[in-house]
Amino acid sequence: DAGVIQSPRHEVTEMGQEVTLRCKPISGHDYLFWYRQTMMRGLELLIYFNNNVPIDDSGMPEDRFSAKMPNASFSTLKIQPSEPRDSAVYFCASSPYRGRGILQKNTEAFFGQGTRLTVV
Amino acid sequence: AQSVTQLGSHVSVSEGALVLLRCNYSSSVPPYLFWYVQYPNQGLQLLLKYTSAATLVKGINGFEAEFKKSETSFHLTKPSAHMSDAAEYFCAVSDLTGFQKLVFGTGTRLLVSP
């Protein structure tokens, strides 16, 4: 498997423009996570999906941010309109889910290489 | 709510010296604990994880961590640092609800000098 694939790797856009970040999770993984990494705030969980359904979007900073997962192999994170303070590295991660408690295995998340977003 | 605290945003060691990166967790339920490493311009890679089996966990690249419930700690160690270990290290916690939501610490940057 190629791992979690994110595109683009780098994005530079002007303030006010719409930005769409893309993610292809590892095949067979039930969970998909979007994280944002900045110097000031570290790694923040924005939203995560289970079986394509958004479970927790409490980390999404504002209504300008939206995320979708139309199928098991694709997710997008959209910022509209973008602002300079949105500049960060955005990571997508996926994770399998197998059982609960002591039967739970492979609980770690696998990360993509990230998209470095710069809003000028 | 679960959280982790990493003491020290930067740790400097000499090549060949012991590496110790500290992580303390807070959790109302038995936690799963993880250490991830991030090399420059890369995503996060799992080093090791604790999932309530053995309290001493061995990971990749010679790293290990010990879960100490009495101290609510999960410190990362390596007996002898290599230059290639220079990176940022993140401790993370999740619970057993099945949702596998990871909460990360603020990270510790390891600097290794010759």
Side-chain angles (χ1 to χ4, degrees):
Chain A
D1 199 311
V4 176
I5 299 173
Q6 292 186 246
S7 63
R9 288 293 311 275
H10 301 272
E11 177 80 37
V12 180
T13 191
E14 292 186 346
M15 182 175 62
Q17 296 298 307
E18 176 181 296
V19 175
T20 299
L21 311 181
R22 297 173 174 78
C23 175
K24 182 181 187 306
I26 294 173
S27 177
H29 282 192
D30 303 276
Y31 288 86
L32 184 138
F33 307 85
W34 282 102
Y35 285 88
R36 178 172 68 175
Q37 185 179 36
T38 61
M39 290 290 291
M40 292 297 293
R41 301 173 68 91
L43 269 164
E44 304 173 275
L45 177 64
L46 300 178
I47 184 171
Y48 72 96
F49 296 82
N50 176 217
N51 293 325
N52 313 336
V53 176
I55 301 300
D56 184 351
D57 65 354
S58 60
M60 297 285 262
E62 300 173 35
D63 291 345
R64 298 183 296 106
F65 286 70
S66 63
K68 294 182 180 179
M69 193 165 185
N71 57 62
S73 59
F74 184 65
S75 177
T76 59
L77 178 68
K78 186 177 293 187
I79 309 173
Q80 166 62 19
S82 58
E83 297 183 3
R85 59 196 168 115
D86 302 331
S87 297
V89 181
Y90 291 82
F91 288 104
C92 176
S94 70
S95 176
Y97 169 60
R98 298 183 186 137
R100 300 174 68 97
I102 62 171
L103 298 179
Q104 197 170 28
K105 297 182 186 299
N106 298 330
T107 57
E108 69 266 27
F110 295 80
F111 282 75
Q113 292 198 305
T115 296
R116 182 174 296 276
L117 173 64
T118 304
V119 183
V120 298
Chain B
Q2 297 175 302
S3 66
V4 290
T5 301
Q6 292 184 242
L7 295 176
S9 59
H10 291 80
V11 169
S12 295
V13 299
S14 299
E15 193 172 20
L18 171 71
V19 176
L20 171 61
L21 305 182
R22 300 177 186 274
C23 173
N24 288 87
Y25 71 90
S26 172
S27 178
S28 58
V29 298
Y32 281 4
L33 293 160
F34 306 81
W35 276 99
Y36 281 83
V37 61
Q38 184 181 29
Y39 298 102
N41 300 314
Q42 298 291 317
L44 279 74
Q45 178 185 2
L46 181 71
L47 272 180
L48 49 81
K49 62 182 178 182
Y50 165 75
T51 57
S52 74
T55 56
L56 182 62
V57 181
K58 294 187 183 298
I60 62 172
N61 301 339
F63 284 93
E64 63 181 37
E66 186 172 8
F67 173 73
K68 292 186 177 180
K69 185 177 179 180
S70 61
E71 299 177 7
T72 62
S73 69
F74 191 58
H75 301 331
L76 182 70
T77 60
K78 182 174 180 178
S80 176
H82 294 169
M83 296 295 291
S84 60
D85 294 327
E88 187 141 21
Y89 292 79
F90 293 91
C91 183
V93 62
S94 72
D95 61 32
L96 298 180
T97 62
F99 290 130
Q100 304 180 43
K101 176 179 173 179
L102 283 174
V103 176
F104 284 89
T106 52
T108 298
R109 185 168 297 279
L110 177 65
L111 307 170
V112 183
S113 57

